[in-house]
Amino acid sequence: MGLFHHESSDEANAYEQVQNSTHKAELSHELIAAAASYEAAKAYEKHCEKNGKPDSHAKAKELIAAFTGAFIDHIVETKGLDFIDKQKAHRDAKKNAEDALEGSGEY
């Protein structure tokens, strides 16, 4: 099992909603954070399939942070978001993804 139940999780639903959004007013930082957490989980699992699991929990957390950050920066650039919401989304997404990593039992 992955970090999130991909098809049925709140994060998966948020991901679909963010990807299909056309206007920034529709996007809250909570929604973007959930979508970023989902995207980070997918990217992390793909990374692990290709490269194996990271050597340490700290390295896994670094990867999760990088994956969430990349997604949020992309959404901010393409959909628009103010600085404060961007920072909140970064913080919340990192926490969500790290919590999922902790709950996965991998480390």
Side-chain angles (χ1 to χ4, degrees):
M1 180 190 332
L3 300 182
F4 294 107
H5 300 289
H6 288 301
E7 304 306 319
S8 61
S9 69
D10 291 339
E11 291 79 11
N13 293 331
Y15 177 79
E16 289 300 320
Q17 192 172 349
V18 168
Q19 290 291 32
N20 295 325
S21 173
T22 58
H23 192 271
K24 71 178 183 178
E26 297 173 11
L27 303 174
S28 68
H29 75 271
E30 294 93 350
L31 182 66
I32 293 170
S37 301
Y38 176 75
E39 178 66 19
K42 289 190 331 183
Y44 176 77
E45 289 169 2
K46 187 175 183 179
H47 173 85
C48 289
E49 286 175 13
K50 184 176 180 181
N51 303 300
K53 288 185 183 176
D55 295 336
S56 68
H57 180 78
K59 183 64 175 175
K61 287 173 64 173
E62 286 177 23
L63 287 168
I64 291 288
F67 295 140
T68 58
F71 179 82
I72 290 170
D73 290 345
H74 171 74
I75 293 300
V76 167
E77 290 175 9
T78 58
K79 307 277 186 182
L81 195 67
D82 69 31
F83 179 79
I84 292 172
D85 283 341
K86 177 183 173 184
Q87 296 306 311
K88 288 178 182 177
H90 273 286
R91 181 197 64 228
D92 292 351
K94 182 179 174 191
K95 180 167 179 7
N96 291 348
E98 286 178 357
D99 288 349
L101 180 65
E102 295 288 331
S104 74
E106 290 187 24
Y107 293 95

